[in-house]
Amino acid sequence: MSVIEEESVRGGLFKDINAEDEDVQPTVIESLCMNCYKNGTTRLMLTKIPFFKEIIISSFTCPHCNWNNTEIQSAGRIQEQGVIYTLQVKTKEDINREVVKSDSASTRIPELDFEIPAFSQKGSLSTIEGLLDRAVAGLEQDQPIRKTTDPSVAGKIEEFIHRLKKLKEGEEEFTLIIDDPSGNSFIENPFAPQKDKCLSVTNYKRTSEQNAALGIEEEEEQEDETPSNDLDTMRNEVLVFNTSCPECNAPANTNMKLVQIPHFKEVIIMATNCDSCGNRTNEVKPGGATEELGTRITLHLTDPSDMSRDLLKSETCSVSIPELEFELGMAALGGKFTTVEGLLKDIKDLIVSKNPFMCGDSVTADRANKFKLFGQKIDKIMAGEMDVHIILDDPAGNSYLQNIYAPDPDPEMKIEKYTRTFEHNEDLGLNDMKTEGYAET
């Protein structure tokens, strides 16, 4: 067991930020200043923030030349999928959105043909204005030398810096794209829990090159030598394998079982229990191939008994409640096999309890009231006091909602099959798959 895992088990390494906790103090060490080559001071703090897991915050100051530097590094695990955030910046308020950018993330502004490559900057917890300020500072750093050695290049860079400053002041609309293969970056949605029309989030499977850049060693594919009759044996057994807790990184066990859902298909249910921190997670993976058509399920909640309906939400399924103007992206909660009530509780926890903008200095009175009101509406829905519709939209067709009238049609439930668009297939990775036209050798 590593030192981090051992400390995580004891709960002594990563601390929650709390102004009232006197035990949370940074580690101070003496280190060399790379500006004047005299000794300065570095402060390190290992802490946890929502949506970014464990992080290491470091701050360096030099009393001799007054040079200082701050940076943030992810100390948590790399997510299963990469993520792309695309934001249409239209107003001055958009400039103030908070951004978590890991060091593996690249930043692009297509209108300027401008890109900050991955691993060229340290991770940061800032705003969009802060990202632009950092880019301007980097370009201005060598301008005095350029004006002497190459005035033409210096002039072009000066024009570019001027355009970046105009974007920072909100004088021009632009598109900000953050592409992070590690999945540990984040852009604030100030309209949460409602959908942000200016922000789109896309999850994707990493390439071999991206895994290599992140230091992930891919497992070599092995031929499947499992006899066909072993599949029947697996259906009656619970498989157990060793993993790490997603919250505290302590060693834990994950249980996996094949389950046949009536009137639907076979799925794989995985559950992880951590004895160290008490965290419990469960995830569902669909069995078999991707369906030919997407599925959109609309349920009209008219009775408290609807809360007990079994529900399978695959990781490719989005959830929306039109009456609340609420929409949850496909990868937000992952795959789940639960009930309608369980799904609503998970949505409330994600939006209200686990939202980083509901605590600390980030919270405002208006925002806190908005989230509190949303949580109260979810409670009313679960109590049967609100008449709403819940929509499960799964382009892969791998989601399911129990029909309590089966085999007869459910008068309160509507199931629609639809043809996926090119964008749907792109999100599912189907456009890159070729299964026909291979020549026999």
Side-chain angles (χ1 to χ4, degrees):
M1 187 184 300
S2 67
V3 175
I4 290 182
E5 288 177 336
E6 291 177 354
E7 293 291 341
S8 296
V9 171
R10 294 193 296 267
L13 186 58
F14 294 97
K15 299 287 188 179
D16 293 321
I17 295 179
N18 188 348
E20 299 178 358
D21 190 354
E22 298 180 356
D23 294 334
V24 181
Q25 298 293 334
T27 301
V28 181
I29 58 176
E30 186 177 356
S31 54
L32 180 68
C33 174
M34 301 308 296
N35 187 48
C36 67
Y37 298 102
K38 295 182 179 180
N39 284 343
T41 303
T42 296
R43 289 175 170 82
L44 297 174
M45 175 176 285
L46 283 70
T47 184
K48 297 180 290 185
I49 59 176
F51 292 106
F52 203 47
K53 304 300 181 183
E54 297 87 357
I55 61 169
I56 302 174
I57 302 175
S58 64
S59 174
F60 174 83
T61 56
C62 178
H64 305 286
C65 65
N66 295 323
W67 188 72
N68 61 80
N69 180 41
T70 60
E71 67 180 63
I72 181 175
Q73 295 181 357
S74 174
R77 63 180 62 244
I78 294 174
Q79 305 302 314
E80 292 185 3
Q81 292 182 317
V83 64
I84 298 177
Y85 288 89
T86 304
L87 175 65
Q88 303 295 330
V89 182
K90 299 181 178 181
T91 64
K92 182 65 176 178
E93 288 73 19
D94 290 332
I95 301 294
N96 296 325
R97 291 182 187 233
E98 298 187 19
V99 177
V100 174
K101 176 184 172 295
S102 73
D103 52 3
S104 61
S106 63
T107 305
R108 291 190 290 123
I109 302 177
E111 289 83 357
L112 300 185
D113 196 20
F114 174 69
E115 179 175 359
I116 302 175
F119 301 104
S120 62
Q121 291 182 345
K122 296 296 184 180
S124 63
L125 177 60
S126 181
T127 62
I128 294 178
E129 182 180 7
L131 291 180
L132 296 176
D133 278 335
R134 197 174 183 181
V136 169
L139 292 172
E140 288 180 337
Q141 185 175 1
D142 296 327
Q143 275 296 86
I145 299 176
R146 293 193 193 99
K147 291 178 180 179
T148 303
T149 59
D150 198 339
S152 62
V153 173
K156 293 179 180 179
I157 293 179
E158 195 67 34
E159 294 178 5
F160 191 83
I161 292 174
H162 180 68
R163 288 203 62 186
L164 281 177
K165 290 182 178 179
K166 291 179 66 177
L167 298 184
K168 188 186 73 170
E169 297 299 327
E171 298 179 11
E172 295 183 14
E173 296 182 3
F174 66 96
T175 305
L176 177 69
I177 302 175
I178 295 181
D179 185 348
D180 186 3
S182 74
N184 283 328
S185 292
F186 175 74
I187 295 182
E188 174 193 3
N189 173 11
F191 306 102
Q194 279 75 37
K195 181 181 180 181
D196 190 343
K197 296 181 180 179
C198 296
L199 178 65
S200 65
V201 184
T202 305
N203 294 88
Y204 63 90
K205 185 177 180 179
R206 285 185 292 269
T207 63
S208 300
E209 292 76 12
Q210 289 171 328
N211 282 329
L214 294 173
I216 300 176
E217 183 177 351
E218 296 187 2
E219 297 182 358
E220 297 183 359
E221 295 185 0
Q222 299 180 353
E223 295 184 1
D224 186 7
E225 299 179 354
T226 304
S228 58
N229 58 355
D230 280 2
L231 187 59
D232 295 330
T233 303
M234 291 175 60
R235 289 190 176 96
N236 299 321
E237 293 183 357
V238 176
L239 303 180
V240 182
F241 52 93
N242 297 326
T243 55
S244 296
C245 174
E247 289 295 327
C248 69
N249 280 334
N253 291 328
T254 294
N255 300 323
M256 183 180 72
K257 192 177 190 305
L258 294 172
V259 177
Q260 177 66 45
I261 298 179
H263 307 290
F264 188 54
K265 61 165 59 176
E266 195 171 59
V267 299
I268 303 171
I269 299 179
M270 295 184 292
T272 302
N273 296 329
C274 179
D275 295 332
S276 301
C277 67
N279 180 59
R280 294 184 179 183
T281 62
N282 66 81
E283 187 174 1
V284 176
K285 299 288 186 181
T290 301
E291 299 295 324
E292 294 184 2
L293 298 174
T295 302
R296 184 180 295 107
I297 306 173
T298 303
L299 175 65
H300 186 196
L301 300 177
T302 59
D303 190 89
S305 62
D306 289 329
M307 294 296 107
S308 60
R309 290 178 184 244
D310 289 334
L311 180 148
L312 171 64
K313 175 197 172 298
S314 77
E315 57 189 3
T316 59
C317 178
S318 62
V319 182
S320 61
I321 305 176
E323 289 80 1
L324 301 185
E325 297 182 1
F326 170 77
E327 183 172 344
L328 187 70
M330 62 172 61
L333 288 174
K336 286 187 174 294
F337 184 42
T338 179
T339 61
V340 173
E341 182 180 14
L343 179 64
L344 292 173
K345 286 182 178 179
D346 289 338
I347 290 175
K348 180 183 176 182
D349 289 342
L350 178 67
I351 300 300
V352 181
S353 304
K354 299 180 181 179
N355 195 322
F357 304 110
M358 276 292 289
C359 57
D361 296 336
S362 298
V363 67
T364 62
D366 292 341
R367 181 180 292 167
N369 291 333
K370 182 193 298 184
F371 288 130
K372 183 179 180 180
L373 180 60
F374 179 82
Q376 292 173 350
K377 290 181 178 179
I378 293 293
D379 290 336
K380 288 183 178 180
I381 294 174
M382 290 189 290
E385 299 175 4
M386 283 190 68
D387 189 356
V388 300
H389 294 76
I390 184 169
I391 302 174
L392 305 178
D393 190 348
D394 188 356
N398 287 325
S399 293
Y400 161 83
L401 187 58
Q402 181 186 12
N403 174 7
I404 58 178
Y405 298 93
D408 297 327
D410 190 331
E412 303 299 340
M413 186 167 66
K414 180 181 178 182
I415 301 177
E416 303 172 81
K417 297 289 185 179
Y418 62 89
T419 303
R420 285 186 292 268
T421 63
F422 178 87
E423 290 74 17
H424 286 149
N425 289 329
E426 188 72 17
D427 291 339
L428 296 175
L430 299 179
N431 291 332
D432 298 328
M433 292 184 181
K434 183 180 179 183
T435 59
E436 299 177 353
Y438 289 99
E440 295 183 2
T441 57

